[in-house]
Amino acid sequence: MNRSAFTRRMIVASLASAAAMPMTQSAFAQAGASAPVTIGFITTLSTPAGYIGEDIRAGFQLALTDGKLGGVPVNLAIEDDALKPANAKQAADRLIQSGVKLFTGVNFSNVLAAVVPGVLESGGYYVSLNPGPSSFAGERCHRNYFVASYQNDAFHEAAGLAANRLGYKRVALLAPNYQAGRDALEGFKRTFKGEITGEIYTKLDQTDFSVELARVRSLAPEAIYQFHPGGAGINFAKQYANAGLAKSIPMLIPAFSMDAHMVGATGDAADGIYASALWTPEATTPASKAFVEAFRKAYSRTPTMYAQQAYDTANLIGSALKAVNGDIAKQDEFRKALRAAQFTAVRGKFSFGPNQHPVQDYYLTKFEKLPSGEIVQTMVRKIAEDYGDAYAAQCKLN
Amino acid sequence: MILFVEQALNGLQYGSMLFLLASGLTLIFGIMGVINLTHGAFYMVGAYSAAFAVLSTGSFLVGIAAALIGAGLYAVLVEVAVVQWLYRRDHLYQVLATLGLILFTNEAVSLIFGRRPPLMDIPPFLQGSVPLLPGLDYPLMRIAFIVTGALVAIGLWALVNHTRVGMLIRAGADDREMVDALGVNIRRLYTLVFGLGGALCGLAGVMAAPLLAIEIGMGERVLITTFVVIVVGGVGSVRGALVGALLVGMVDSLGRAYIPQLLQLSLPASTADTLGAGLVSASIYVLMAIVLLVRPNGLLPARG
């Protein structure tokens, strides 16, 4: 009996030391400037939304040269969350345990909400490359939390401004009945000056919109603004065109309701749709042209906005790693370098507002069919310059 | 008035689609007593098979054939490989095994066809809309969907009531052992019914593909509604599936069209929209609850 208790203690002790090993190792690794910095990269690689994670990973990796970001060797610890917040939280906890301090990669707001608190409590950094939920943009902003993409509402606010510029006076709104859908319509209403003829909420898993389209027809608005992510967005655009509505009532959307990938599945029904956007593959700046060319060369496909955002985020992180020479234990310097955002963004102008969310330009874009039959997202005009978000004022940093 | 007619047609079209899915499911459930969650996956397999046949040949008729054969053969494969071992098992085993098959099918389809959703256009002869009433143009594709549902209903009615196979199906549903003892190969009959159920899903898939987007997991979305249909209609009867499908289709469409507007008469617009959306989501479940209260076996159950 004594012997078995002894063995048990031995096992427990060896397990404990084994568990502690990676922590001490990586503590050494972070201290030495030449050792690689590990970046926890949790994203969605499986499920129907997996293509988004694939593009995010591809965009981020494209920014690496010889495994280095800003001249500092980095090591990406890539984890698939399968679009489940619980999976993402587990992966994050495991990485935090092994000493990882810097995180990015998550592409959905609900997953982000599960990952960020743990990362920040452990003294780590989170740099978002896609979602910017309002919950972390206002009072709950944090000095170690950065959003390099956009604040979620901003796309919808920009769409409201776009509707004003397009001269629409009467607009009908459609979105799925869940938090992001309601937020989207609130964002639009915040900046739109005309009359809302109807707010139609759809079911979250709805695929057939015949009933809603008949209602739109009877409301007879000058235009509609609709937010349906993923497969529902493809269905909506196809059915809208099939019902003959696309000819009489123009459609306005936020850019992520019709990314470069979804256009392929929507086909000609995408022709003529307006979208608010930060960037499109058709942008003519030198940085954008170089990025699109490099991405096409590396992966033989056109990058989505998700790839562009990931690429920009990687370069932002690179600029900060360079400033501290890879030693992210120098917290104040690292934070300061991130906030300075000294990098060339593919999308053009980029800086951080007081809540460490972007201040940037938004554009009105249009999906148009080229004579070749290909559908591209062209830039129409700038609709908002140096645009921040509605929550920055509530954030008390420093 | 025109809006009402249009919404009723929408309900009819949705009902047709639900009938194609529910008729096969109710046969399998009612006759074999198998809870088959993979049923929605047959619909996805049909849509993918059709899309790739249409993309490579350009012919919608080839697409229909590909959907029927693809989904039908896959259903037979599922029955032979997995489901036939589960007939005498508890429903829990059937749920677990067929749930696993959903995950397997989703992964297999994305490996074979890729993650990029294929695009299937409405065939040229079904494009556009036809004037039904002054001021009401209805898409031809949706009319074709309604007609398909009606033809399948007639065909199934003839099959079940006026053929030898139908007689065996009805007899097998009542007393499996007796039919077996009379020298009928009940095993082969079950495989046949399973294949038929799969082919009907394939038909729903090829008709839905040009209207809705084709994507991994599209079957799971309709599966629950399909189960609601057979619970409302009564388990095991094709007539019940028809009545249930039309009822659920109408309640869903008219609810989505009118509940928010009715609420707007008495409530402020934004509250009415949000509350209405919630009620609309619940409408078919409320229908199911009411039916179950009044007739616990569904409206037209196969037996009793």
Side-chain angles (χ1 to χ4, degrees):
Chain A
M1 190 183 148
N2 263 342
R3 212 178 133 204
S4 81
F6 179 69
T7 354
R8 206 178 311 141
R9 211 173 304 145
M10 281 269 287
I11 292 168
V12 170
S14 54
L15 277 179
S17 60
M21 275 282 272
M23 227 186 296
T24 44
Q25 266 175 0
S26 52
F28 280 118
Q30 303 281 12
S34 59
V37 174
T38 301
I39 301 178
F41 199 91
I42 300 165
T43 194
T44 307
L45 293 166
S46 51
T47 79
Y51 78 88
I52 296 177
E54 281 172 20
D55 249 35
I56 285 176
R57 182 178 58 184
F60 201 92
Q61 282 175 335
L62 190 66
L64 268 64
T65 37
D66 304 326
K68 291 179 183 172
L69 267 182
V72 174
V74 293
N75 167 29
L76 293 186
I78 298 173
E79 299 275 351
D80 176 22
D81 59 38
L83 197 39
K84 292 196 177 69
N87 290 8
K89 171 111 182 87
Q90 269 182 8
D93 287 347
R94 201 164 54 237
L95 291 168
I96 292 168
Q97 284 293 312
S98 61
V100 177
K101 288 284 178 203
L102 181 56
F103 286 82
T104 184
V106 172
N107 46 345
F108 290 94
S109 293
N110 56 337
V111 180
L112 188 83
V115 168
V116 165
V119 170
L120 298 180
E121 276 160 28
S122 74
Y125 299 89
Y126 192 89
V127 185
S128 177
L129 48 65
N130 189 43
S134 57
S135 46
F136 297 128
E139 284 173 9
R140 286 179 64 199
C141 62
H142 193 283
R143 58 195 185 131
N144 281 4
Y145 172 75
F146 294 80
V147 173
S149 44
Y150 51 84
Q151 200 280 315
N152 283 0
D153 299 16
F155 264 101
H156 308 295
E157 290 166 14
L161 295 172
N164 294 338
R165 282 297 286 271
L166 288 164
Y168 299 144
K169 298 277 182 285
R170 304 173 67 250
V171 173
L173 311 179
L174 299 101
N177 186 29
Y178 75 125
Q179 193 57 46
R182 286 189 293 268
D183 285 353
L185 300 194
E186 286 308 313
F188 184 86
K189 287 193 281 186
R190 202 172 290 148
T191 52
F192 179 60
K193 291 198 181 76
E195 181 199 347
I196 305 290
T197 59
E199 283 180 48
I200 303 175
Y201 286 100
T202 54
K203 285 186 269 186
L204 188 50
D205 60 349
Q206 194 168 323
T207 50
D208 193 341
F209 297 97
S210 54
V211 171
E212 288 73 18
L213 296 183
R215 259 192 85 191
V216 166
R217 205 195 304 269
S218 71
L219 288 169
E222 277 175 53
I224 63 160
Y225 179 64
Q226 65 94 4
F227 162 70
H228 283 94
I234 300 171
N235 288 10
F236 193 96
K238 281 172 74 176
Q239 293 168 18
Y240 197 73
N242 183 40
L245 284 166
K247 277 175 245 136
S248 51
I249 308 173
M251 185 197 297
L252 183 62
I253 58 171
F256 38 74
S257 283
M258 185 58 66
D259 60 48
H261 180 91
M262 289 162 73
V263 168
T266 312
D268 288 356
D271 190 13
I273 296 177
Y274 287 107
S276 62
L278 281 172
W279 171 86
T280 89
E282 305 302 310
T284 49
T285 62
S288 174
K289 280 184 158 172
F291 164 70
V292 173
E293 195 182 315
F295 192 95
R296 282 191 178 138
K297 201 173 153 210
Y299 306 105
S300 328
R301 62 175 191 263
T302 301
T304 59
M305 54 179 283
Y306 304 105
Q308 169 262 322
Q309 288 170 187
Y311 184 80
D312 278 354
T313 306
N315 285 327
L316 166 70
I317 291 174
S319 71
L321 287 176
K322 191 175 179 184
V324 294
N325 197 20
D327 184 7
I328 59 175
K330 294 178 183 166
Q331 294 226 16
D332 287 336
E333 284 173 54
F334 185 62
R335 253 195 306 270
K336 209 172 136 201
L338 274 174
R339 279 192 82 147
Q342 294 296 327
F343 72 107
T344 311
V346 167
R347 71 192 86 166
K349 272 199 285 185
F350 182 95
S351 63
F352 277 117
N355 56 346
Q356 299 182 164
H357 282 59
V359 174
Q360 54 196 342
D361 299 346
Y362 289 83
Y363 298 87
L364 172 64
T365 65
K366 189 177 188 185
F367 290 91
E368 283 176 312
K369 193 170 177 176
L370 299 179
S372 66
E374 190 194 355
I375 292 176
V376 296
Q377 188 182 3
T378 54
M379 292 278 191
V380 177
R381 60 151 60 95
K382 193 183 281 184
I383 43 176
E385 191 152 4
D386 294 331
Y387 197 77
D389 61 80
Y391 303 94
Q394 298 161 31
C395 170
K396 303 274 178 283
L397 275 180
N398 304 324
Chain B
M1 183 58 201
I2 281 179
L3 183 66
F4 178 79
V5 175
E6 184 170 1
Q7 299 296 19
L9 283 170
N10 287 333
L12 208 54
Q13 184 255 310
Y14 186 40
S16 286
M17 163 149 159
L18 290 176
F19 174 67
L20 291 181
L21 296 167
S23 52
L25 188 66
T26 201
L27 282 177
I28 292 167
F29 192 18
I31 295 170
M32 309 177 194
V34 179
I35 296 188
N36 175 33
L37 298 185
T38 330
H39 205 73
F42 302 155
Y43 164 70
M44 174 177 69
V45 170
Y48 269 90
S49 308
F52 277 84
V54 169
L55 284 180
S56 47
T57 66
S59 158
F60 189 66
L61 294 176
V62 175
I64 294 178
L68 291 174
I69 296 170
L73 279 184
Y74 185 63
V76 168
L77 185 74
V78 163
E79 203 271 348
V80 171
V82 180
V83 174
Q84 65 156 315
W85 311 105
L86 300 169
Y87 287 133
R88 289 174 197 287
R89 294 275 193 146
D90 194 64
H91 280 167
L92 185 62
Y93 291 94
Q94 298 166 357
V95 166
L96 280 176
T98 52
L99 185 67
L101 275 172
I102 291 182
L103 305 176
F104 168 80
T105 313
N106 284 348
E107 281 309 307
V109 167
S110 67
L111 281 178
I112 295 169
F113 295 111
R115 286 194 191 286
R116 188 169 282 262
L119 166 69
M120 190 167 150
D121 271 329
I122 295 176
F125 59 93
L126 289 177
Q127 267 171 12
S129 45
V130 282
L132 292 180
L133 287 172
L136 172 62
D137 289 353
Y138 200 68
L140 199 54
M141 184 71 210
R142 291 185 190 270
I143 294 176
F145 211 135
I146 296 172
V147 172
T148 306
L151 289 178
V152 168
I154 295 170
L156 274 179
W157 169 78
L159 176 79
V160 173
N161 291 303
H162 294 279
T163 64
R164 195 180 134 73
V165 173
M167 188 185 73
L168 292 176
I169 288 176
R170 280 178 290 144
D174 281 336
D175 195 331
R176 180 190 323 197
E177 277 76 20
M178 185 60 82
V179 178
D180 210 13
L182 288 172
V184 176
N185 188 343
I186 198 99
R187 282 272 336 105
R188 209 172 56 202
L189 182 70
Y190 280 13
T191 311
L192 195 73
V193 172
F194 222 87
L196 176 68
L200 288 173
C201 284
L203 191 58
V206 65
M207 295 304 288
L211 283 175
L212 317 175
I214 304 167
E215 59 179 336
I216 307 291
M218 63 195 277
E220 284 103 276
R221 291 165 184 238
V222 292
L223 186 68
I224 300 203
T225 317
T226 310
F227 270 106
V228 170
V229 166
I230 66 169
V231 168
V232 167
V235 170
S237 87
V238 177
R239 274 192 313 154
L242 182 62
V243 170
L246 291 179
L247 203 56
V248 168
M250 284 294 169
V251 166
D252 185 78
S253 289
L254 296 180
R256 269 155 60 198
Y258 290 106
I259 291 177
Q261 278 163 294
L262 287 178
L263 287 174
Q264 266 172 11
L265 297 177
S266 55
L267 291 168
S270 60
T271 325
D273 284 324
T274 330
L275 183 64
L279 284 177
V280 165
S281 299
S283 63
I284 62 167
Y285 303 103
V286 172
L287 169 74
M288 181 171 75
I290 294 171
V291 168
L292 286 178
L293 273 177
V294 182
R295 297 188 64 130
N297 289 326
L299 294 173
L300 296 167
R303 283 149 282 173

